Amino acid sequence: MSNMVQFEHQSVMPKEVAELLVTNRQGVYVDATLGAAGHALRLLETYPEIRLIGIDQDAQALAQARQNLASHHNRTTLVKGNFRYMTELLASIGVRQVDGVLFDLGVSSPQLDQRERGFSYQQEDAPLDMRMDADNPITAFRLVNQKSEREIADAIRQWGEERWASRIAQFIVRSRQIEPIRTSGQLVDIIRAAIPASARRSGGHPARRTFQALRIWVNDELGSLSDGLDQAWRVLGPNCRIAAIAFHSLEDRIVKTRFRDWQHENQARLITKHPLTASTDELKENPRSRSAKLRVVEKLPG
Ligand SMILES: C[S@@+](CC[C@H](N)C(=O)[O-])C[C@H]1O[C@@H](n2cnc3c(N)ncnc32)[C@H](O)[C@@H]1O
């Protein structure tokens, strides 16, 4: 694979996002998860008069996005930070109200593909890092080597929805007593040994759920999402929308519940009664879109 290919990220449901997010063709929009700027570019190209504020907590992603958005630099402002502090980040550039916010959750393909980031269970000798934000002091190495067996088991069960969580935690603690667990390859071997062979035959890669749990833990992804949605709601103008793409049930549950709560409080109407999923054509081209669910909500005036 060339470097160029490794840095590509295929955006999920770009057409649907562009159609459903924008209600004001001269408005200001926030892409809270800018990544490689695929969605951002689509929005800027579809609506030549909008302004776009791109947020990402990953400095490398922002640098890549800056290049990809170079031809629209006069209509874009990029900000490094966690979207859970969105009101503060926007205030720092003098923005108090916006016309729409997009969340395309999780990690990007470039993050997964870069071995040294340690996100992937397929990269054998990668360091156990998994931070989206290099300034975050918590790494997967720290959690795996320092947290109690109980905390590790709870995290793997809760955020990985892994039925063998207790055994995996037990094997991790036993193994780190001999030597620290430094690489993704070591961790994959430990997980393999912990899951009985009969159970390993189904459910995809045995380490998938544990890696998901660790990634969520390192980046406090669910706490950030919860805060981020509330912050987006605060800065959102009347008749404006939030669009959120979730990639697993834990994320989607948070989005769904928050949108429903606002609806029940008569503050919002749901634009998507049921989540949208990728078309068959998109599924063929982009396997990452398989688990994606897009929900859109609109803030009512008043
Ligand atoms: C799936 S990618 C976005 C891809 C982008 N929509 C595109 O089309 O190219 C998610 C991005 O959001 C960023 N991210 C995830 N959680 C974040 C958070 N809490 N605050 C800021 N950025 C976050 C990640 O670093 C990653 O670059």
Side-chain angles (χ1 to χ4, degrees):
M1 232 194 255
S2 77
N3 268 348
M4 216 37 225
V5 174
Q6 284 184 355
F7 268 95
E8 268 175 23
H9 176 92
Q10 229 176 322
S11 303
V12 169
M13 291 186 259
K15 185 164 169 279
E16 292 84 344
V17 167
E19 275 172 16
L20 293 175
L21 180 66
V22 174
T23 51
N24 171 4
R25 288 169 167 259
Q26 276 111 36
V28 177
Y29 290 84
V30 176
D31 184 339
T33 51
L34 188 64
H39 284 111
L41 201 54
R42 177 83 179 217
L43 289 168
L44 287 159
E45 281 169 355
T46 312
Y47 305 101
E49 292 177 63
I50 64 164
R51 291 193 56 81
L52 186 121
I53 300 164
I55 299 175
D56 205 295
Q57 60 178 330
D58 182 340
Q60 286 187 19
L62 272 187
Q64 181 68 34
R66 201 173 296 284
Q67 276 185 31
N68 294 354
L69 295 174
S71 53
H72 300 283
H73 68 94
N74 54 344
R75 291 197 285 142
T76 54
T77 311
L78 307 192
V79 188
K80 181 183 180 289
N82 192 311
F83 59 55
R84 73 188 315 167
Y85 307 117
M86 194 180 301
T87 47
E88 224 176 285
L89 294 173
L90 294 180
S92 75
I93 52 166
V95 174
R96 309 233 166 267
Q97 187 168 308
V98 299
D99 297 277
V101 181
L102 168 65
F103 293 91
D104 174 22
L105 299 163
V107 283
S108 65
S109 309
Q111 286 168 330
L112 275 174
D113 290 344
Q114 281 174 283
R115 193 194 66 79
E116 67 279 9
R117 307 291 298 264
F119 284 112
S120 170
Y121 45 81
Q122 274 147 346
Q123 310 268 18
E124 295 234 321
D125 57 347
L128 281 178
D129 191 313
M130 300 198 191
R131 289 170 303 168
M132 292 188 206
D133 179 354
D135 297 328
N136 173 6
I138 299 161
T139 61
F141 173 84
R142 245 176 91 169
L143 297 178
V144 162
N145 288 287
Q146 292 176 7
K147 292 292 180 180
S148 68
E149 182 176 326
R150 175 74 185 275
E151 286 171 298
I152 294 173
D154 286 350
I156 298 175
R157 189 174 307 108
Q158 197 184 337
W159 297 319
E161 299 181 293
E162 167 65 70
R163 61 186 288 234
W164 301 102
S166 300
R167 258 176 79 86
I168 294 170
Q170 195 186 3
F171 275 55
I172 284 175
V173 168
R174 205 183 291 165
S175 172
R176 77 187 188 192
Q177 278 159 2
I178 303 163
E179 57 166 345
I181 305 162
R182 295 191 184 282
T183 69
S184 51
Q186 272 174 286
L187 184 58
V188 167
D189 288 344
I190 293 165
I191 297 166
R192 264 213 187 93
I195 302 179
S198 55
R200 256 188 273 131
R201 277 191 277 276
S202 60
H205 194 290
R208 190 178 59 82
R209 286 176 292 275
T210 301
F211 270 61
Q212 173 181 302
L214 283 173
R215 203 196 80 196
I216 290 176
W217 198 4
V218 167
N219 298 289
D220 189 16
E221 288 182 36
L222 303 182
S224 297
L225 174 56
S226 222
D227 292 350
L229 289 170
D230 287 342
Q231 295 258 310
W233 192 248
R234 274 210 241 160
V235 293
L236 195 69
N239 303 314
C240 298
R241 296 179 178 179
I242 298 176
I245 306 174
F247 289 87
H248 54 77
S249 56
L250 300 166
E251 277 173 354
D252 186 53
R253 202 173 305 147
I254 293 175
V255 175
K256 179 168 116 183
T257 309
R258 201 57 114 257
F259 285 11
R260 290 249 163 99
D261 287 349
W262 293 329
Q263 186 202 24
H264 289 150
E265 292 157 7
N266 295 322
Q267 298 187 59
R269 77 181 176 109
L270 299 180
I271 301 301
T272 50
K273 301 263 176 308
H274 301 286
L276 298 188
T277 52
S279 66
T280 359
D281 281 350
E282 182 172 357
L283 287 172
K284 266 189 243 154
E285 278 175 30
N286 185 6
R288 212 181 140 264
S289 66
R290 214 177 29 227
S291 50
K293 286 186 176 167
L294 166 64
R295 294 181 189 269
V296 184
V297 73
E298 185 176 293
K299 193 175 198 169
L300 296 173

